Amino acid sequence: MAVGYAGLIRLFPFFMAGGVALQGLVAVAEARSLRPLREQARFWAGLGLSLLLLVPLSAWRAGGLQAWTAFSVNSRRMVGTEASNILGLPVVLAWRPGLQRALYTDPLRENPLEAWEQVQAESLGATRPAVAVAALAFVALLALAVRRRPAWVAALLGLGLVPIVHRLANYYFCWPLVYALLLEVCPPVGLALTFTAWASNLLADAFPDYDSGRALASSLLICALVAGLTARLARPPACPPDDAPPR
């Protein structure tokens, strides 16, 4: 139920369910049976129960279901709007040296960033096939990394889907701090992924060119996620067995 409650406050925790779902699909494929899904029954039941209880309660408290309709409309508007504080895989693949914000800012226009937003939208549109291929490759790597891991580890690793399949504002960049929980099973991976949240501040200060800074911050996070998942596959000797309970 905790994932459902957190996800209704901020959508990102719902990506944890993606890691658990991938783990279940891999287990079903290996066992050629639906039996492995029984081990996840409590997780999905708790998530479903939290939605069944909290969505109606929140709608009642907000004055009706129109609050959720307005939230959906606002979310689609934000996702479809180009902004200079957006991070993620699409930002990395769409970055071009000649598309800096400073080159396309016109202070005489009602919207000084209109030209920049247009070229950014065109660049993002041209990179959609590459983004789709890279995202599928990451999902495949994630599916292998969560194979035969504890469910809570799969859930944490599932958060790695956030910058891959979703563009998020930079003020949400503190979410990699939750990877500190991986210190229980693999300290190097937990430390490296948590470090990215702090290192992003250094990049912001080191690069006054905001476009390059956000592309580098996104690249840092994605590289750290790929390295972390690869390390989980390699199971380095420094990491204790995956079935070791958290202390």
Side-chain angles (χ1 to χ4, degrees):
M1 294 187 68
V3 173
Y5 177 77
L8 290 174
I9 298 175
R10 283 289 182 267
L11 293 177
F12 307 129
F14 282 130
F15 284 91
M16 300 176 76
V20 179
L22 280 175
Q23 183 188 56
L25 292 175
V26 171
V28 166
E30 290 182 337
R32 297 182 180 181
S33 168
L34 296 178
R35 184 175 301 176
L37 295 181
R38 296 178 184 175
E39 299 177 2
Q40 297 184 350
R42 292 179 60 189
F43 173 84
W44 295 111
L47 178 59
L49 182 60
S50 66
L51 296 179
L52 288 174
L53 291 176
L54 297 177
V55 170
L57 284 174
S58 61
W60 169 76
R61 182 64 178 83
L65 290 176
Q66 63 270 19
W68 282 105
T69 303
F71 171 76
S72 177
V73 171
N74 187 58
S75 297
R76 289 197 298 269
R77 179 185 61 81
M78 293 187 65
V79 170
T81 301
E82 300 305 325
S84 58
N85 65 337
I86 300 297
L87 302 173
L89 176 63
V91 172
V92 175
L93 297 182
W95 180 84
R96 300 291 184 275
L99 300 183
Q100 287 99 338
R101 183 175 58 173
L103 300 178
Y104 286 89
T105 300
D106 186 352
L108 299 181
R109 291 190 177 186
E110 182 178 355
N111 178 9
L113 298 178
E114 181 179 358
W116 177 83
E117 292 172 357
Q118 181 178 351
V119 297
Q120 284 295 311
E122 293 173 355
S123 182
L124 286 169
T127 59
R128 283 175 183 168
V131 171
V133 172
L136 288 174
F138 183 88
V139 170
L141 179 62
L142 176 61
L144 293 175
V146 300
R147 176 174 173 265
R148 298 180 182 177
R149 309 296 188 192
W152 69 272
V153 173
L156 284 178
L157 294 179
L159 283 172
L161 292 168
V162 172
I164 304 299
V165 303
H166 181 64
R167 297 193 304 155
L168 69 160
N170 59 358
Y171 44 79
Y172 291 122
F173 208 70
C174 61
W175 66 266
L177 293 175
V178 301
Y179 284 123
L181 296 173
L182 290 176
L183 290 171
E184 295 290 349
V185 293
C186 190
V189 172
L191 286 172
L193 293 176
T194 306
F195 171 80
T196 60
W198 172 77
S200 64
N201 292 319
L202 296 182
L203 291 176
D205 294 335
F207 290 89
D209 172 19
Y210 210 89
D211 296 85
S212 299
R214 68 191 187 121
L216 285 172
S218 300
S219 300
L220 172 66
L221 175 59
I222 293 169
C223 289
L225 289 171
V226 171
L229 294 180
T230 303
R232 295 302 295 148
L233 289 174
R235 299 187 65 178
C239 298
D242 286 328
D243 57 358
R247 295 185 296 274

